[in-house]
Each structure stands twice: as structure tokens, then as C-alpha cells.
């Protein structure tokens, strides 16, 4: 089956790149013999490749050398646990060689911090458990826990009594910086 | 008689077994090509070194998942290109220019700048120095959407076979063919837009 221009055009570059199977290359060659427009397209492709080949040759002739010791440095960092910037969510590029020991130190520090954190969490959990037990014990003994919450060792004073005392002080002319909700209601 | 260089896969296996020197040999083997590849995305030497270093560090951490269906080199290229593109995005230097979806807009802006699409592609002027041709070529490449620039870089600078390009980009060979076709058309248009003096009949 003969090839038409629409099929031939996209194949020209692959043909010039040596990437067409012999069957497709044969069909394209046959089409190119008959079609002036597609032959022009093939010449276009050849011309463009000359820009790239000159640039490629220039690259290999004038490329900056790889910094000395690069491979050893990268291998050392890889084996010291550095996983690369994007994987650890760092913002800016540009950190230098000192990053590897810093990262290792930070890792050690994080391990230490996580030990402290574990201790604090455990202690908090135990304290919360004890407070719950104390509250239950108080309720079982029949005391008014809510009304008698106190931070000192003295005999508990009911909250209502404290508020009444404060209101008396207010009424006696002592300046209060902010009215209590109870006194606001009274006004 | 000198021993033959070890295969990539042997070095990969030794690296996974904990041999740092084997990984160093892999880096030495591909570092120059990775530097050359990344230089197509940024010319700043400090940024190039950072991106290549990051590429190898990522490769090391992902080595246990390396599927040996593709070569180590094409696998590495894939990581390098993604690392370079991530870097450019993070810096706000979006490598994709133009709002169009390059896969869908076939020929939409070919022949832009009022140029008939049938204008022949110019060959480099014989009077130009090779360095000057290289400078112009790279300038034109820089102007292309990233998707076209990358496929041209892999083919024309890395001289990769279509199958390898397909592996690197995770696309089919047919897509490689059509993307290269469009990339070359874009390159020609942009070359003539930036340098109308190369057009046939220009005076």
C-alpha cells in the first residue's frame, strides 16, 4: 500500500534518525521519490540536525569539567543517610558539603528529643490517670468536688461563698478592675 | 591484562549490599553525562552541581526499587530531569512556557510570527563559528516548552534511541515519534522567528 503525505511527514524525522523499521523505511523512500513536498521536508530535517550536531560537538569540546572529588563526596553523603533535598522538604538549594554532618547531628538530636518527648507523654498520662482516680474517690466519699476545687491544703471553700465575698468587697467601694459576670447581671 | 569494567547491574547489587565504593564508581561513570543533561535546564554551575548531586542521592535511596527492565542510565536520566524540573518550579522558574497543552495543540502555532509553514529550515551558515551555532541552538531550545525541549535534548544531545527516550519519559515509541516531529517543527519556527536573516530569500 502506498503512503500518503499525511502519513509520511511525521516519519521523516524518525527515518533520518535511523529509527524506522525496514518495512516503513521502504514505504517512505518510495513516497519520497514521488513527492517533492516531502523531499523538501526531509531536507528540512537534515538541515535542522546540523544545528544540533554543531551544538553537541561544541558541548563535548567546551563543557566545564565535573568538580574534582564529586563522586566520592556524593557517595559519602548517600551512605551517611542524606536522601537529597526534595525528599526532605528543604526549601532552598545551595547548601554545601557541611550538610552531611549537620544532617547526621540533627538526626541524633531528633532521636534525643524524641526520648524526652516520650518521657513527658508517659508522665502526663500517669498524672491524668491519678487525677481521675482521685476524683472518683472524692465522689465516692460524698464530697462536692466541683464546688470545692482548691489548689491549697486548707479546708475547701465553696465557690459561691467566694463570689459573695468578692461582691461584698465591690459594694464596699473597693475599685474592681473588671466587673465579675455576677455583678454585671446585678446592674 | 586489564579487567573489564564492571557492569552497571553488578555495581548496583554491590551498592545495595553496602559497598560505598561501588556506588562511587557508578557516580563516576555517569556524572559527566548528568552534568551535561542538567545544563540544558539551568546554566548556573552551582545549581547544576546541586541538581546532579540530588539526582544521585535520590537514585541511591530509590535503588532498592530500581526495575531492571530499563538501563541504569535511562533510569538516572529520568530522576535527573524530574529533579531539574522540580527545582525550576520551586524557584518559580516554570520551565513550561505557553498555556497550551503541547500534546493536543498539534501545529496550532506552527508558522507563528506570520511565517508560512512551508519555509524551508535553514542549515547553519557556513561562515558561523561552531560556538556561535551552539549558542543560537541553545537559545532557541530555551524558548521551547519544556516537553519539546526535553525530547530534543534526549535525542539530539544525549543521542538516545527512541526506545530509551520512551523509557525515560514513560511514554510510547509512537508518542516519542510524534513529539519529536512537533518539537522539530517548533524549533524551526522559533529559529526563524529569532533569526529571520536565516530565512531563504531574506535580504
Amino acid at each position: 500500500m502506498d503512503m500518503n503525505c499525511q502519513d509520511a511527514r511525521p516519519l521523516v524525522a524518525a527515518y533520518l534518525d535511523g529509527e524506522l523499521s525496514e518495512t516503513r523505511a521502504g514505504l517512505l523512500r518510495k513516497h519520497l521519490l514521488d513527492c517533492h513536498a516531502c523531499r523538501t521536508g526531509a531536507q528540512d530535517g537534515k538541515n535542522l540536525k546540523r544545528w544540533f550536531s554543531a551544538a553537541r560537538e561544541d558541548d563535548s569540546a567546551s563543557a566545564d569539567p565535573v568538580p574534582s572529588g564529586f563522586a566520592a563526596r556524593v557517595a559519602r553523603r548517600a551512605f551517611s543517610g542524606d536522601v537529597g533535598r526534595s525528599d526532605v522538604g528543604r526549601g532552598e538549594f545551595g547548601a554545601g558539603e557541611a550538610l552531611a554532618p549537620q544532617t547526621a547531628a540533627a538526626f541524633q538530636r531528633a532521636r534525643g528529643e524524641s526520648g524526652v518527648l516520650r518521657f513527658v507523654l508517659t508522665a502526663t498520662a500517669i498524672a491524668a490517670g491519678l487525677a481521675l482516680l482521685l476524683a472518683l474517690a472524692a465522689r465516692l466519699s460524698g464530697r462536692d468536688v466541683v464546688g470545692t476545687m482548691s489548689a491549697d491544703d486548707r479546708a475547701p471553700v465553696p465557690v459561691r461563698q467566694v463570689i459573695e465575698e468578692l461582691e461584698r468587697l465591690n459594694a464596699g467601694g473597693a475599685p474592681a478592675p473588671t466587673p465579675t459576670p455576677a455583678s454585671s447581671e446585678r446592674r | 591484562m586489564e579487567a573489564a569494567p564492571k557492569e552497571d547491574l553488578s555495581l548496583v547489587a554491590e551498592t545495595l549490599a553496602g559497598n560505598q565504593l561501588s556506588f562511587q564508581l557508578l557516580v563516576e561513570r555517569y556524572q559527566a553525562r548528568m552534568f551535561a543533561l542538567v545544563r540544558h535546564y539551568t546554566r548556573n554551575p552551582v545549581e547544576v552541581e546541586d541538581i546532579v548531586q540530588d539526582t544521585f542521592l535520590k537514585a541511591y535511596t530509590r535503588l532498592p526499587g530500581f526495575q531492571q527492565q530499563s538501563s541504569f542510565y535511562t533510569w538516572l536520566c529520568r530522576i535527573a530531569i524530574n529533579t531539574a524540573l522540580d527545582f525550576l518550579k520551586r524557584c518559580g522558574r516554570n520551565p513550561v512556557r505557553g498555556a497550551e497543552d503541547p500534546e493536543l495543540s498539534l501545529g496550532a502555532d506552527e508558522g507563528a510570527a506570520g511565517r508560512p509553514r512551508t519555509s524551508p529550515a535553514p542549515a547553519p551558515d557556513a561562515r558561523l563559528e561552531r560556538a556561535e551555532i551552539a549558542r543560537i541552538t541553545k537559545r532557541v531550545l530555551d524558548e521551547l516548552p519544556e516537553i519539546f525541549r526535553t525530547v530534543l535534548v534526549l535525542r539530539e544531545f544525549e543521542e538516545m534511541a527512541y526506545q530509551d527516550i520512551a523509557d525515560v519519559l514513560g511514554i510510547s515509541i509512537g508518542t516519542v515519534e510524534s513529539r519529536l516531529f512537533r518539537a522539530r517543527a517548533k524549533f524551526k519556527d522559533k529559529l526563524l522567528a529569532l533569526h529571520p536573516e536565516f530565512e531563504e530569500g531574506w535580504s
Side-chain angles (χ1 to χ4, degrees):
Chain A
M1 195 179 83
D2 283 352
M3 197 175 262
N4 61 31
C5 293
Q6 202 179 350
D7 294 334
R9 273 184 65 215
L11 295 184
V12 167
Y15 175 67
L16 296 174
D17 286 338
E19 288 277 351
L20 280 195
S21 67
E22 197 38 56
T23 313
R24 287 166 90 200
L27 287 170
L28 181 66
R29 269 195 297 269
K30 187 168 179 300
H31 177 80
L32 289 176
L33 281 174
D34 299 337
C35 178
H36 174 75
C38 287
R39 270 205 308 279
T40 307
Q43 187 57 48
D44 260 27
K46 278 185 191 167
N47 288 348
L48 285 179
K49 285 185 88 62
R50 288 174 61 190
W51 290 92
F52 294 118
S53 60
R56 188 171 60 238
E57 284 163 20
D58 189 67
D59 261 12
S60 44
S62 64
D64 294 331
V66 173
S68 73
F70 177 81
R73 203 159 58 237
V74 170
R76 197 164 57 241
R77 290 180 64 159
F79 275 72
S80 71
D82 190 337
V83 294
R85 276 158 238 269
S86 356
D87 283 3
V88 293
R90 276 183 288 241
E92 290 288 316
F93 269 57
E97 165 68 0
L99 199 60
Q102 277 175 1
T103 308
F107 180 65
Q108 291 297 334
R109 206 163 49 241
R111 283 183 63 177
E113 280 166 5
S114 75
V116 172
L117 186 65
R118 202 177 304 123
F119 170 77
V120 169
L121 286 174
T122 311
T124 308
I126 291 170
L130 281 174
L132 186 66
L133 282 175
L134 280 171
L136 281 174
R139 171 160 284 216
L140 286 174
S141 68
R143 289 185 172 187
D144 179 4
V145 179
V146 176
T148 59
M149 286 292 265
S150 171
D152 62 22
D153 293 328
R154 286 175 298 181
V157 183
V159 173
R160 182 170 297 281
Q161 190 184 327
V162 174
I163 292 172
E164 281 167 3
E165 277 175 20
L166 283 171
E167 283 172 349
R168 264 201 308 280
L169 280 171
N170 252 349
T178 50
T180 63
S183 61
S184 301
E185 275 167 23
R186 187 170 291 179
R187 283 175 200 150
Chain B
M1 193 177 122
E2 201 174 318
K6 280 192 180 173
E7 294 289 328
D8 287 353
L9 293 184
S10 306
L11 291 173
V12 167
E14 288 167 16
T15 303
L16 286 170
N19 190 334
Q20 185 173 324
L21 187 60
S22 297
F23 186 61
Q24 185 177 326
L25 289 173
L26 276 173
V27 177
E28 277 168 6
R29 185 170 291 177
Y30 292 111
Q31 57 186 7
R33 293 172 87 174
M34 289 302 116
F35 270 80
L37 177 60
V38 170
R39 282 191 193 111
H40 289 287
Y41 296 91
T42 170
R43 305 256 194 279
N44 180 325
V46 175
E47 290 176 355
V48 170
E49 185 174 349
D50 274 341
I51 293 168
V52 176
Q53 177 175 267
D54 217 28
T55 297
F56 282 112
L57 292 176
K58 282 183 190 170
Y60 175 74
T61 58
R62 296 173 191 177
L63 211 49
F66 167 55
Q67 304 292 320
Q68 299 179 1
Q69 292 144 347
S70 64
S71 74
F72 182 74
Y73 170 61
T74 56
W75 183 72
L76 205 54
C77 283
R78 189 174 192 158
I79 297 176
I81 291 169
N82 288 335
T83 305
L85 297 181
D86 283 350
F87 168 74
L88 293 178
K89 271 181 206 151
R90 224 171 22 240
C91 295
R93 282 141 57 186
N94 192 342
V96 183
R97 296 180 195 189
E100 90 273 29
D101 180 342
E103 293 294 354
L104 297 176
S105 65
L106 173 54
D109 60 352
E110 284 166 17
R115 201 170 311 289
R117 287 171 59 180
T118 48
S119 278
D125 192 313
R127 290 164 296 181
L128 288 177
E129 297 272 339
R130 189 181 65 191
E132 178 64 5
I133 299 170
R135 194 190 62 76
I136 293 169
T137 306
K138 287 177 180 175
R139 165 91 202 283
V140 174
L141 272 180
D142 284 349
E143 293 289 321
L144 297 186
E146 179 278 321
I147 195 167
F148 294 135
R149 190 192 334 166
T150 294
V151 80
L152 282 174
V153 163
L154 293 178
R155 175 62 213 177
E156 301 294 353
F157 289 84
E158 296 301 311
E159 298 183 277
M160 275 190 185
Y162 283 18
Q163 181 61 62
D164 288 341
I165 297 174
D167 287 347
V168 170
L169 300 179
I171 56 181
S172 69
I173 289 193
T175 308
V176 171
E177 268 179 18
S178 60
R179 200 178 284 182
L180 267 172
F181 170 67
R182 292 205 293 283
R184 284 172 170 136
K186 296 258 182 197
F187 182 91
K188 171 183 149 184
D189 276 352
K190 191 57 77 175
L191 176 66
L192 290 174
L194 290 172
H195 295 277
E197 71 272 21
F198 296 148
E199 195 167 0
E200 201 174 66
W202 187 86
S203 56

